[in-house]
Amino acid sequence: MAGDSTNHQVSVSSSNPKKRKWGNDSFRHGSKKHGDKRNKGRNTGRMESNRQDKRGRNEAENNSKRTKLPEPSEIATTLPKPFPEDEIAAEERRPKHKVAVLIGYSGSGYKGMQINYNEKTIEGDLFHSFVKAGAISKANANDPKKSSLVRCARTDKGVHAAGNVISLKLIVEDEDVVEKINSHLSPQIRVWGIERTIGSFSCYQACDSRWYEYLIPTYSLLPPHPSSFLAKECEKAADNARDRQGYEDRQADVKGFWQKVEEKEIKPMLDSLEDDIRAQVVEAMYRPEHHSGEEIASNNEAEEVTKTPQNKEQTSTAATIVEPRIPNQVSEFSENSDNLAGKADEHEAVADSASGERVLESADADTNEGIKQTSSDSAVLAVHPDSKSAPDPALLDAIKRLRAAYLSAKRRYRVPQSRISKLQNALSAYEGTHNFHNYTVRLKPRDPSAKRHIKSFNINPTPILKRVPVTEKEDGEEANGEGIEREVEGESAETEWLSLKVHGQSFMMHQIRKMIGLAVLAVRSGADVVPLIKQSYDWNNKISIPKAPGLGLLLERPVFDSYNKRVEDKFQERNKLSFEKHEKKMDEFKDREIYGRIFKEEMRDGVFHGFWGHVDNYKEGIFLYVTSKGLDAVKGIKEEKEKGKIGNEVVKEVESSDDDAESEGVGEGKEG
């Protein structure tokens, strides 16, 4: 029988090829060829021990790389302190509901929108007011996560918002809950209204698009001073590219502005000075400055614009003058920004190119980045650096008056409609879906996230004319952390402004400010603007774009069209999210707390004046694509930098300090 059985098995294997291999012991599971079950587990203990040791080593290595955070009890938090347990137990339990809180705020004196446990922020003050008004229970008073707090758009340090939204769970049974909350807030922050939402609502996820406004003084559209590096290069490129007629046609509406200022205001002031004072003023003001690494990427290429005059006639008729800085003021401007993944403290250059060039260092910005203005005192001391004697008060006064004359002339400028139309054409070139890889930082050209959609970008054709009292800073601090200011009696100035509004689905870090930076730089330099902007979208074109001052940027409002349509169709018991019914209060708030602060800070610090002055005199040539040569003018810049000829130390600073964030989206980080 055994033999029959064996023969039967063989015959089956022979007759059925599909089963033949299963009749072969060498292919059975558990065979030595594929792992003998008899040996399985023999080395399990040793292998498991090795795996555990490796896991432990990896974990120890990762822990050593992580930043050591202090224990919660060691952090000096700005959140409310925990209430005693007996108070929490005695508090009446009331239901909380998911709501959208419509807010507006002036960002001056705050470290941005997003809550930060050891710094003063908009959300921090709001959370305090919710607790004091009874909208958040005592049990949840020291932890925003328990209330599911989410913001629609993060804004940077010093950036304003006429309309923004946060969503969270609040106790909103009291009819006057909005008034109660506002009573615990400073005048810089207002709650416009609170709307019940569906339970799954997140203001960040539900936001379809955002409106931003940017205010800019019209003198930003003036051409660079004829003695500046950029102006000279524009003239030279127009001739070399055989574009002289085209260049002059594009600058026809500002032709002769600087010549008139020199003849009518600057020359008479110089002629009125004593001979010895005049010589020192010219040397102190018109000699090239020796910028530090924080101001300019490299000062090796500095060139003298006007040398010290040798005689009386030369000093009285100085024809070429480097446009001055603000008198008696040493200011640092920077910006605090989040990155695309989270919050970061950013000290970044005014222009960040894909290859890492740094133009102007940003140190700390409510207003602008990358500008460190030179005081008249330091300018005077530069004349005689070895002198130990105090500078002559008459010399200081002369320099102050001369510099003020330049700024005053710029503020009296009134922009013609032809100039506004040029800027509008530039902004319209941004509309649609484009690759904005040149308008942010740390983003590769082919990254899909570089594609953004701009719905509209328009200028209000009617300029705003604003007279603002001149103020001076005094020692001390106000409650919001801003310096105390004093109005200069009898002093005021009128500046003309333009309002630019952009509507987009979302924005990358610095995108809005770089879009404005390129458009304004191109118009004021006499470039053929629209083709230049279209070239900036090309993957193969990497250019450095100056980041316009953050002072003029504000979040106008977020838009929730999709959510509102859903509410209309399925949740009629819920109200739509809209700022329309609050517009009157919002307009009053903007005029008082936002526009007023922007105008006052520009009047006091000359933010835009200093910004464009530094861009015009930056000598590494990374902005020369705005000349008649176009992108050909900057093609060699990247290669030279890679060879170590341009700003190596500056590149290191950029890489180490450029943290991540945008919103202008607000982001301008952020931009959101």
Side-chain angles (χ1 to χ4, degrees), residues 150-197:
V150 176
R151 80 284 313 164
C152 177
R154 292 174 294 182
T155 53
D156 294 335
K157 174 183 175 182
V159 176
H160 317 293
N164 201 349
V165 175
I166 61 173
S167 57
L168 73 167
K169 296 176 182 178
L170 289 182
I171 301 168
V172 290
E173 293 176 333
D174 298 338
E175 293 183 359
D176 60 345
V177 63
V178 172
E179 288 74 18
K180 287 183 178 179
I181 293 171
N182 281 330
S183 68
H184 298 290
L185 290 169
S186 77
Q188 283 184 241
I189 308 175
R190 292 291 89 183
V191 172
W192 306 126
I194 297 177
E195 301 289 354
R196 286 279 304 275
T197 65

Side-chain angles (χ1 to χ4, degrees), residues 357-539:
E357 296 94 344
R358 183 180 193 114
V359 184
L360 305 172
E361 170 80 6
S362 148
D364 197 322
D366 294 356
T367 52
N368 193 340
E369 308 73 51
I371 301 172
K372 185 176 287 187
Q373 299 175 2
T374 304
S375 71
S376 59
D377 292 24
S378 61
V380 173
L381 293 175
V383 180
H384 303 291
D386 298 327
S387 175
K388 296 182 180 180
S389 59
D392 186 346
L395 177 59
L396 292 177
D397 180 68
I399 292 175
K400 180 177 180 178
R401 288 190 293 112
L402 202 59
R403 288 178 169 174
Y406 273 105
L407 182 53
S408 178
K410 293 173 76 172
R411 284 176 171 156
R412 289 196 303 271
Y413 172 71
R414 299 296 176 256
V415 66
Q417 284 297 319
S418 59
R419 204 72 170 166
I420 296 177
S421 297
K422 289 185 177 72
L423 182 58
Q424 180 61 73
N425 291 338
L427 299 180
S428 296
Y430 290 126
E431 294 176 356
T433 302
H434 304 290
N435 186 330
F436 288 95
H437 66 96
N438 276 314
Y439 296 82
T440 186
V441 295
R442 292 185 173 182
L443 192 64
K444 294 181 179 179
R446 294 180 183 270
D447 192 320
S449 66
K451 286 194 174 182
R452 301 291 164 128
H453 182 72
I454 305 300
K455 295 175 176 287
S456 65
F457 207 152
N458 295 311
I459 306 174
N460 185 336
T462 304
I464 304 167
L465 208 57
K466 195 70 177 178
R467 181 171 291 278
V468 180
V470 176
T471 61
E472 292 180 343
K473 286 187 176 181
E474 293 184 347
D475 294 336
E477 254 188 20
E478 293 180 344
N480 66 351
E482 294 187 284
I484 297 174
E485 296 179 2
R486 176 184 65 83
E487 287 189 10
V488 179
E489 188 175 351
E491 297 262 353
S492 64
E494 197 170 51
T495 304
E496 188 180 60
W497 295 73
L498 289 175
S499 171
L500 287 55
K501 291 191 178 182
V502 57
H503 183 200
Q505 289 181 342
S506 63
F507 300 88
M508 297 177 292
M509 174 182 171
H510 305 322
Q511 181 182 341
I512 292 176
R513 291 164 59 193
K514 282 179 175 280
M515 290 163 70
I516 293 170
L518 177 58
V520 174
L521 178 62
V523 170
R524 66 195 301 273
S525 303
D528 194 359
V529 185
V530 174
L532 175 62
I533 289 177
K534 290 182 178 179
Q535 288 177 313
S536 72
Y537 303 141
D538 193 305
W539 285 336

